[in-house]
Amino acid sequence: MDHVTALECTLCGETYDPERVVYTCPNHEGVRGILEVTYDYDVVRERFDADLDGAIPDQWKYRAFLPVADDVDPVSLGEGGTDLLEAPRLGAELSVDLRIKDDGRNPTGVLKDRATSVAVTKAKAAGREVVTCASTGNAAASLGGYAARAGLDCRIFVPEDAPEGKLAQPLVYGADVLGVAGSYDEAYDLSLDATEEFGWYNRNAAINPFQVEGKRTVGHELAEQTRGDCPDWLVFSMGDGCTIAGGWKGFREFAELDLVAETPKMLGVQAEGASAIHDAFRETDDADEVADTVADSIAVGRPRNTVKACRALEDSGGDSVLVTDEEILAAEATLGRTEGLYAEPAGAAPIAGLRKARRKGIVEAGESVVAVLTGNGLKDAASAMRAAGEIERIDADLDDVIARYGA
Ligand SMILES: *Cc1c(COP(=O)(O)O)cnc(C)c1O
Ligand SMILES: [Zn+2]
């Protein structure tokens, strides 16, 4: 890994050897000292010789940027390379030039597969046999799938109220799924204690400095897919905050290496019931650490990557907005109805946020926007029914159809 120079603390700047297993900087209480992977971009640039022609078979096209040694075989299910689709009908509704990157098309139905692929690749290469994480549902399914792919044991901590569809998936992948009687934040703390006790490999998005590096590939892909036509805004939902941070880091790297000329402003979207990153960015104080939103994937009371996420918003000249559950569910239905795209609530939240940002004048009419749909609607049918309504029941009789639609 001669292209990886260090793990650098986002709080105090202390650096650590990337070959040693360190999760967070010990200079700070708990897991606050989040580490950032730093690179020698001369080496990266020398190794990255792919054509930027928009043909992206999977995220390993950007292998030169990933913190994985040369001689390691990736554990892959074909993650990344997702479509960037024009969204003219929804765009017209919002008076913007809109494109949507559908990352719900990843192997387990979620953008997190990009990160999990990197984490499990590293766990396997290091000879680790057990991987673990805490999850609101999607990271559990994702880790379950990649652990099965790699032949590793998988032990997952979820809050017991996670949507059932999301828990069925890791069970099918053969993972141990431990439903913790408590919140995501409590499941998270328990997974850290177990990691320490047993020495398992922890994929937790916020604290494993390597796995989040996989999320940069959504930024690399977007930079390539919008080359010569950079959007004014790039919209992500925010839970722990590492997805938006990774997307920004990837895009920015392409600009710094002169692979693209411009970068977009980042718009971060949170639910009103889980607003910690928005509050930190705006420097408003909301001491409420209890997360409450229909968008379970971003229901995070104490985000671990607030620093990185706020940096992405600031460095890009971006902004953040909050949306209500009603607005999120309405956006889910609108996405489906106008563009044929099926998102879970956290995946639809960027569209709700874009509508809010238009109303507030943050995003202006006629600007160009790319929204990232982070998770597939098939994962959470119950929320989808809340968003779109119930089916109509009729008798097996043509007269009932005629009564409904006329003769
Ligand atoms: C995890 C997740 C997010 C948020 O990502 P963070 O890195 O926690 O901010 C958004 N949408 C979906 C579908 C997710 O699974
Ligand atoms: Zn530190």
Side-chain angles (χ1 to χ4, degrees), residues 9 12 25 27-28:
C9 178
C12 71
C25 176
N27 294 346
H28 318 275

Side-chain angles (χ1 to χ4, degrees), residues 110 112 138 215 237-243 297-298 344 346 374-375:
V110 73
K112 291 185 169 67
N138 285 338
K215 294 187 178 178
S237 55
M238 306 188 291
D240 265 321
C242 32
T243 303
S297 302
I298 52 172
E344 66 162 85
T374 43

Side-chain angles (χ1 to χ4, degrees), residues 184-314:
Y184 168 63
D185 296 291
E186 287 168 302
Y188 189 95
D189 290 342
L190 188 57
S191 84
L192 291 187
D193 292 344
T195 300
E196 214 164 277
E197 175 78 19
F198 298 103
W200 299 337
Y201 186 89
N202 195 319
R203 177 229 178 266
N204 275 355
I207 63 150
N208 182 322
F210 293 115
Q211 70 87 22
V212 307
E213 296 300 287
K215 294 187 178 178
R216 284 145 71 232
T217 62
V218 75
H220 300 145
E221 287 178 15
L222 281 165
E224 175 167 346
Q225 289 170 318
T226 63
R227 206 158 171 250
D229 186 15
C230 180
D232 296 307
W233 292 93
L234 179 51
V235 195
F236 281 94
S237 55
M238 306 188 291
D240 265 321
C242 32
T243 303
I244 194 168
W248 167 244
K249 187 173 176 181
F251 212 118
R252 178 175 54 80
E253 287 171 329
F254 261 44
E256 279 171 9
L257 295 181
D258 287 326
L259 297 168
V260 295
E262 292 171 90
T263 55
K265 290 172 280 192
M266 306 297 284
L267 178 66
V269 182
Q270 285 199 295
E272 282 192 349
S275 62
I277 298 174
H278 173 85
D279 296 337
F281 180 64
R282 301 255 160 165
E283 293 173 354
T284 51
D285 205 17
D286 175 0
D288 189 6
E289 289 193 346
V290 180
D292 178 22
T293 166
V294 64
D296 59 287
S297 302
I298 52 172
V300 182
R302 288 183 279 131
R304 279 83 193 168
N305 260 320
T306 303
V307 173
K308 283 187 191 175
C310 286
R311 242 178 230 175
L313 298 176
E314 269 158 40

